[in-house]
Amino acid sequence: MTAFATQHLADPVFRAQANFRALMDALSRPGTIQRLVVDEDAGDIDVDLAAIALTLIDHETSLWLSPSLADDHKVREWLAFATGAPLVDAPERAAFALVAEADPLPDHRAFGQGTQEYPDRSTTIVKACGGLTHGPRLACSGPGIKASATVAPAGLGPNFVERWAENRALFPRGVDLILCAGGAVMGMPRTLTIKRLEV
Amino acid sequence: MTGEPFYNFAYLDEQTKRMIRRAILKAIAIPGYQVPFASREMPMPYGWGTGGVQVTAAIIGRDDVLKVIDQGADDTTNAVSIRAFFQKVTNVAVTTDTGAATIIQTRHRIPEHPLIDGQIIVYQVPIPEPLRFLEPRETETRTMHALEEYGLMHVKLYEDIARHGEIATTYAYPVKVEGRYVMDPSPTPKFDNPKMHMSPALQLFGAGRERRIYAIPPYSDVVSLDFDDHPFTVQRFDKPCALCGGDDVYLDEVIMDDRGTRMFVCSDTAHCDGRRSEGHVGKQAAVEEARR
Ligand SMILES: [Zn+2]
């Protein structure tokens, strides 16, 4: 038996792996909802945002925080301790942006879009939502979806579909969006085409 | 980071895994685009597929079932070594059965057994840049991808037709992903190209020495480049597999005995074994049976 089998030491390693696979599944199969492994004692931050931050963010990734996160020194301290990520004020310089449920989804144009040569140098926005299933119904199509998928995340704002169409039109540039709520996650890669479904 | 174990699951340290994982997510979001990543030294030479090994190491979990193939076979030195490496550093279950695997790491083939939703295939890529042989400068190829300027590639393929009467490229045959990026499918035979189109599996590509990761999400449009007057076609084989009688499979010519008897057999050994255990018998297998 090698040392990595030792349960208590290995836990963060396996949690990060499980959460990465949830994120990878979410972004490669848009329209599906994936479970996160959250730690209820993560700190003074939304547990879903915490789980995703611990999986993807570290000292190599610049981080932008939405106002209610940025204004909370406990949140900033926890993120600095847990990830070491340098905080940036300019959203266009952020590799990742964390957006609290209380804050609106900012305009995608404020963030890094990448360049035509390096479209990967763009911001990934992680947004905590009120829920992933009871918002306005949206029809999604694109890579990762066999025909089409219906999703209903809450709290993306009234102009989201129009703004997303602008983001889609920038391809291969553009932002990618990760939505989380209640220990679950949904991915919206820049390739996704989103249409509003009539109510 | 503190609190991380000294011996790491899947060999890579957590910082490296996060870096590779971030590159994988970008690759998924930009299908066919080669994402640069800081490739690490692995305990095997570059020619052994260190890019694919790093991708697998970054994604694999305790519940995964791993299959490793090289040229379609599970039992070549390269496949055996990589499988043993992952058994040692992850203790995951391994299989030769394509249908039972959650992750398939491959060099030079896509299994004959259709991949299904939820599976991940990881390709070992020696040279990720499809335009490399036409334009050696990375700054130039990057600009060509940025501008979607793929005329040179079409010229190259058309020169093939002028010289040989057909497109002579039979492996690493370039594809266009989701109508945007021209991509190298790695040195798989062009026979396998149609399997990439609308595959239910997630396809990840890792090039270690060249430090690139790219991806095709499930259900993505993958088109082999061709011309209206010379449409893309796959290799056809005159005879079925000599061992299992299978047709519509990719065959390798092998020497069967010390008298130099040659025959064509499945390159996908697990597929061939599976068919034979189901009772399918090819011509040579029937001859051997009669001799006994
Ligand atoms: Zn066979």
Side-chain angles (χ1 to χ4, degrees):
Chain A
M1 229 349 121
T2 41
F4 62 71
T6 312
Q7 191 72 34
H8 69 281
L9 277 179
D11 241 3
V13 170
F14 293 115
R15 193 157 55 215
Q17 189 275 335
N19 284 335
F20 168 70
R21 282 287 276 273
L23 292 165
M24 186 173 81
D25 287 345
L27 281 163
S28 63
R29 295 179 170 82
T32 65
I33 292 175
Q34 306 292 334
R35 301 302 306 174
L36 292 170
V37 184
V38 299
D39 178 0
E40 296 299 337
D41 305 317
D44 300 292
I45 179 170
D46 177 277
V47 292
D48 302 325
L49 291 180
I52 295 168
L54 289 173
T55 304
L56 295 179
I57 296 172
D58 55 37
H59 67 273
E60 290 183 346
T61 56
S62 49
L63 176 62
W64 182 88
L65 299 176
S66 69
S68 62
L69 296 173
D71 291 345
D72 187 332
H73 74 93
K74 281 185 184 164
V75 165
R76 290 207 316 273
E77 276 167 22
W78 182 83
L79 283 166
F81 167 76
T83 72
L87 292 181
V88 292
D89 292 329
E92 72 270 17
R93 288 181 44 226
F96 287 90
L98 297 183
V99 182
E101 187 188 337
D103 293 322
L105 181 66
D107 192 321
H108 66 93
R109 288 171 296 191
F111 294 99
Q113 323 278 312
T115 64
Q116 204 67 15
E117 285 76 19
Y118 290 94
D120 53 307
R121 295 179 181 173
S122 55
T123 308
T124 300
I125 305 170
V126 184
K127 168 91 174 90
C129 300
L132 298 178
T133 55
H134 59 270
R137 292 170 68 236
L138 305 171
C140 301
S141 58
I145 302 173
K146 196 173 183 181
S148 83
T150 302
V151 300
L156 295 182
N159 300 321
F160 173 72
V161 170
E162 288 73 19
R163 292 212 312 233
W164 187 263
E166 292 170 9
N167 184 58
R168 176 68 187 82
L170 293 173
F171 189 85
R173 299 161 65 230
V175 300
D176 304 309
L177 184 57
I178 294 169
L179 305 174
C180 55
V185 68
M186 177 189 288
M188 292 188 165
R190 67 192 75 181
T191 47
L192 201 61
T193 297
I194 303 178
K195 292 199 172 89
R196 197 178 278 112
L197 284 171
E198 299 310 320
V199 269
Chain B
M1 289 288 294
T2 53
E4 287 176 1
F6 183 73
Y7 296 102
N8 229 335
F9 178 80
Y11 185 78
L12 298 174
D13 61 89
E14 292 302 290
Q15 164 68 28
T16 300
K17 283 183 195 167
R18 272 192 299 273
M19 178 269 296
I20 295 173
R21 287 166 178 170
R22 291 192 292 260
I24 290 171
L25 297 188
K26 293 288 190 190
I28 287 167
I30 316 167
Y33 167 74
Q34 302 161 49
V35 182
F37 82 110
S39 182
R40 294 289 194 263
E41 292 284 332
M42 296 300 283
M44 56 192 78
Y46 272 126
W48 283 60
T50 55
V53 169
Q54 289 177 80
V55 168
T56 297
I59 66 175
I60 199 165
R62 282 178 294 196
D63 299 332
D64 277 309
V65 180
L66 179 68
K67 172 180 167 77
V68 183
I69 50 171
D70 175 19
Q71 309 270 12
D74 297 84
D75 58 359
T76 61
T77 311
N78 184 297
V80 168
S81 303
I82 291 173
R83 188 165 57 240
F85 169 76
F86 279 110
Q87 282 182 288
K88 187 174 144 206
V89 299
T90 67
N91 205 29
V92 298
V94 295
T95 185
T96 58
D97 179 0
T98 299
T102 58
I103 299 173
I104 299 157
Q105 177 161 334
T106 181
R107 177 172 174 268
H108 299 191
R109 276 309 310 278
I110 300 174
E112 305 292 0
H113 190 280
L115 302 182
I116 58 167
D117 212 322
Q119 285 184 313
I120 302 163
I121 182 165
V122 179
Y123 298 78
Q124 299 169 204
V125 182
I127 298 167
E129 179 50 72
L131 306 169
R132 175 63 49 83
F133 296 108
L134 308 168
E135 171 53 70
R137 289 166 296 182
E138 206 257 340
T139 48
E140 291 299 313
T141 55
R142 185 166 290 282
T143 303
M144 290 156 102
H145 285 296
L147 299 175
E148 221 174 332
E149 181 67 61
Y150 294 127
L152 261 189
M153 179 61 88
H154 283 97
V155 167
K156 191 255 174 200
L157 293 174
Y158 215 88
E159 281 174 357
D160 262 15
I161 295 171
R163 200 171 305 152
H164 309 285
E166 60 179 352
I167 296 173
T169 305
T170 53
Y171 64 94
Y173 189 105
V175 295
K176 193 173 231 189
V177 182
E178 281 291 320
R180 179 55 179 83
Y181 283 100
V182 167
M183 192 198 92
D184 188 319
S186 86
T188 48
K190 67 175 184 176
F191 180 88
D192 286 337
N193 277 22
K195 297 175 186 168
M196 306 177 93
H197 175 62
M198 292 301 279
S199 173
L202 170 62
Q203 304 178 68
L204 301 175
F205 301 77
R209 190 182 46 225
E210 303 274 334
R211 302 175 175 196
R212 294 291 184 276
I213 287 172
Y214 51 104
I216 304 173
Y219 305 113
S220 292
D221 190 56
V222 181
V223 177
S224 301
L225 300 184
D226 66 356
F227 301 94
D228 288 342
D229 52 347
H230 283 90
F232 173 81
T233 54
V234 298
Q235 295 98 320
R236 290 265 163 241
F237 298 91
D238 299 336
K239 293 176 192 161
C241 169
L243 295 176
C244 76
D247 42 26
D248 292 329
V249 291
Y250 191 77
L251 303 178
D252 285 333
E253 189 175 21
V254 293
I255 296 169
M256 297 304 282
D257 56 30
D258 50 14
R259 289 170 306 179
T261 311
R262 303 161 87 84
M263 63 193 56
F264 285 91
V265 299
C266 290
S267 117
D268 184 336
T269 54
H271 180 75
C272 199
D273 292 346
R275 281 180 51 83
R276 293 167 78 187
S277 68
E278 286 166 10
H280 296 281
V281 180
K283 225 169 188 175
Q284 178 61 23
V287 169
E288 283 170 14
E289 195 69 23
R291 264 197 216 126
R292 251 178 250 153

